[in-house]
Amino acid sequence: MFTGIVEELGEITGIEPRGDSVTLTVRGPLVTEDAVHGASIAVNGVCLTVVDVQDDAFTADVIKETLDKSSLGVLEPGSKVNLERPVRLSDRLGGHLVQGHVDGVGTIISREPGERWDVVTVSLPADLGRYLVDKGSITVDGISLTVVEAGADRFSVALIPTTLAMTTLGHKKPGDPVNLEVDVVAKYVERMLGDRS
């Protein structure tokens, strides 16, 4: 379980194809300081399992299912990625409950810069629109964000200076894909209410 509060902007340093999967090597000095084989680290909002740790980098295997249902397949050496270690039970929940299970891939439609912040509009797969509400939560590339305006096929978020400086959303442009994870609580509520009818 994660909170969507990005700890570090990491970098892809290697991609090794392995048939229908790949092994990613990710540089991230902060998240690797206590990483061990089998640990979880969210990479752009995708929960990956650490295979090995060398110096300030870790490797993780990414299977076809994950490549098909997330934007990890477009990464290349040099790509910047958002990194977060799992939350500990003693930690504050600074963002919202995030599983690291991508629900769909959206595309940045537009950016409207302000003096110190940007409003970014992102496309939304049709089956996810029902989970978003104005002022609700969504995870974009692993970043816990507040929805400014929710639509059937798009939503907007306002990015503060810290988010612009410390995450990939400071550099993404229209046309770039982003991983989306809707609020898991909304999915459980829908399921429970559906079971009653």
Side-chain angles (χ1 to χ4, degrees):
M1 192 68 75
F2 303 91
T3 67
I5 303 300
V6 172
E7 292 185 89
E8 178 174 28
L9 194 56
E11 181 180 354
I12 301 296
T13 59
I15 300 175
E16 186 176 345
R18 296 186 178 270
D20 63 353
S21 66
V22 299
T23 297
L24 290 180
T25 302
V26 185
R27 188 181 68 74
L30 178 64
V31 300
T32 57
E33 66 186 17
D34 61 353
V36 295
H37 175 81
S40 296
I41 296 177
V43 178
N44 279 357
V46 180
C47 179
L48 297 180
T49 301
V50 173
V51 173
D52 191 25
V53 179
Q54 295 288 329
D55 299 322
D56 64 354
F58 69 95
T59 59
D61 293 324
V62 185
I63 62 172
K64 183 178 187 308
E65 170 81 2
T66 305
L67 294 170
D68 289 346
K69 296 193 174 173
S70 75
S71 66
L72 293 189
V74 302
L75 296 175
E76 52 192 36
S79 294
K80 300 295 184 191
V81 289
N82 298 318
L83 302 175
E84 181 189 358
R85 291 172 289 189
V87 66
R88 294 174 295 210
L89 291 178
S90 61
D91 289 343
R92 288 185 176 94
L93 184 59
H96 70 281
L97 295 176
V98 176
Q99 295 182 295
H101 303 161
V102 173
D103 292 307
V105 176
T107 302
I108 294 181
I109 298 171
S110 66
R111 293 186 77 106
E112 297 175 33
E115 277 188 37
R116 299 185 60 232
W117 52 281
D118 288 3
V119 174
V120 175
T121 301
V122 181
S123 70
L124 185 66
D127 61 332
L128 298 182
R130 67 184 182 271
Y131 299 115
L132 267 64
V133 295
D134 294 358
K135 307 303 180 265
S137 298
I138 188 162
T139 308
V140 179
D141 268 357
I143 307 160
S144 175
L145 296 170
T146 301
V147 175
V148 172
E149 187 174 351
D153 64 350
R154 66 187 60 207
F155 65 94
S156 60
V157 291
L159 306 180
I160 63 173
T162 298
T163 304
L164 293 171
M166 298 183 66
T167 73
T168 57
L169 287 184
H171 311 286
K172 297 260 181 169
K173 56 190 182 306
D176 286 344
V178 288
N179 294 319
L180 304 175
E181 181 182 335
V182 298
D183 190 352
V184 67
V185 175
K187 292 190 285 186
Y188 280 116
V189 168
E190 177 185 60
R191 178 66 181 261
M192 287 189 298
L193 292 176
D195 287 347
R196 287 181 170 185
S197 29

